[in-house]
Amino acid sequence: MRVVIVDYGSGNLRSAAKAVERAASEANLDIDLHVTADTERVAAADRLILPGVGAFADCRRGLETEVDMIEGLQEAVEQRGVPFLGICVGMQLMADRGLEHEVAAGFGWIHGDVTRIEPADPTLKIPHMGWNTLDVIADHPVLEGIPTGPDGWHAYFVHSYHLAVADRADLIATSDYSGPVTAIVGRNNVVGTQFHPEKSEKLGIALLANFLKWNP
């Protein structure tokens, strides 16, 4: 299985690669993992992972500086149906638009805008940073075997914005920060996490293993 973590100058690439390798090992999966900006490798991948850290528009520009990268992603995901995992801003880029500081176009795979989170408690700090459990809205294979709800495993978040989905059918899980924030979205062969699986210990490793086994 050819797994590609897309390198466009954003994201915890080393941590993500180590987490994917551990997930594959624990699930007894044989993978050929590449962290690369090579568009041909991206277009030929069997699994794609897009990390992202920072502002939406900056990450979009980072992708645009890599020759044909966005086209390669679109070919793999939209035409070949390759399973895709977006992490943090990599997940936000799946939206129609990002509204962080400026309006920037996303991929349009999950309809909705990336907007600032607004806790009901005004004393809570932004960014939302720390460990939270997941509240499942809809079952999805990437959550198979993972304890969720108030007594479930915890995921690590650090973000000020989230993807406000236009269609609730695309919302898989939320987390609570004095109100629901988007935690996981998905549609067809794409799925995205606002939290960082590579930093989320056993929850993250289990989710990555489920992603590697997922055949949408």
Side-chain angles (χ1 to χ4, degrees), residues 91-92 113-121 124-137 155-165 168 170-185 192-195:
M91 177 269 261
Q92 295 178 4
D113 290 339
V114 175
T115 62
R116 186 173 174 84
I117 59 176
E118 297 181 353
D121 181 351
L124 290 180
K125 293 181 179 179
I126 303 296
H128 165 217
M129 182 183 301
W131 296 85
N132 293 76
T133 56
L134 303 178
D135 298 315
V136 175
I137 306 301
Y156 182 74
F157 290 80
V158 53
H159 65 120
S160 301
Y161 289 75
H162 71 153
L163 201 172
V165 297
R168 190 170 172 81
D170 295 334
L171 185 62
I172 295 169
T174 62
S175 189
D176 180 68
Y177 194 60
S178 189
V181 296
T182 298
I184 307 177
V185 298
T193 66
Q194 180 60 65
F195 58 88

Side-chain angles (χ1 to χ4, degrees):
M1 183 192 303
R2 293 166 296 184
V3 181
V4 167
I5 298 175
V6 180
D7 179 4
Y8 62 105
S10 179
N12 303 302
L13 300 176
R14 180 175 174 79
S15 295
K18 289 177 70 69
V20 170
E21 288 171 346
R22 179 180 166 191
S25 175
E26 293 188 6
N28 295 312
L29 298 172
D30 184 17
I31 67 170
D32 180 20
L33 177 63
H34 296 271
V35 179
T36 182
D38 186 320
T39 306
E40 291 186 2
R41 287 188 184 272
V42 168
D46 298 311
R47 295 288 188 281
L48 282 168
I49 299 173
L50 183 71
V53 173
F56 184 105
D58 291 340
C59 288
R60 172 74 191 206
R61 282 189 284 267
L63 282 172
E64 291 172 346
T65 62
E66 301 294 341
V67 177
D68 296 329
M69 179 61 76
I70 292 177
E71 291 78 7
L73 285 168
Q74 291 171 331
E75 176 186 339
V77 174
E78 298 176 18
Q79 298 178 29
R80 292 204 298 114
V82 172
F84 173 95
L85 171 64
I87 296 174
C88 196
V89 183
M91 177 269 261
Q92 295 178 4
L93 286 163
M94 296 159 60
D96 291 320
R97 302 183 304 169
L99 307 181
E100 185 176 0
H101 308 310
E102 60 185 287
V103 178
F107 302 148
W109 297 340
I110 300 289
H111 293 309
D113 290 339
V114 175
T115 62
R116 186 173 174 84
I117 59 176
E118 297 181 353
D121 181 351
T123 67
L124 290 180
K125 293 181 179 179
I126 303 296
H128 165 217
M129 182 183 301
W131 296 85
N132 293 76
T133 56
L134 303 178
D135 298 315
V136 175
I137 306 301
D139 290 335
H140 193 281
V142 297
L143 288 173
E144 183 176 352
I146 296 176
T148 56
D151 298 320
W153 291 350
H154 287 70
Y156 182 74
F157 290 80
V158 53
H159 65 120
S160 301
Y161 289 75
H162 71 153
L163 201 172
V165 297
D167 185 347
R168 190 170 172 81
D170 295 334
L171 185 62
I172 295 169
T174 62
S175 189
D176 180 68
Y177 194 60
S178 189
V181 296
T182 298
I184 307 177
V185 298
R187 170 182 286 271
N188 299 329
N189 57 308
V190 301
V191 66
T193 66
Q194 180 60 65
F195 58 88
H196 289 270
E198 75 279 10
K199 295 183 178 181
S200 297
E201 300 180 353
K202 58 185 179 181
L203 184 152
I205 296 300
L207 184 142
L208 289 170
N210 286 340
F211 171 71
L212 294 174
K213 293 183 286 187
W214 180 37
N215 288 298

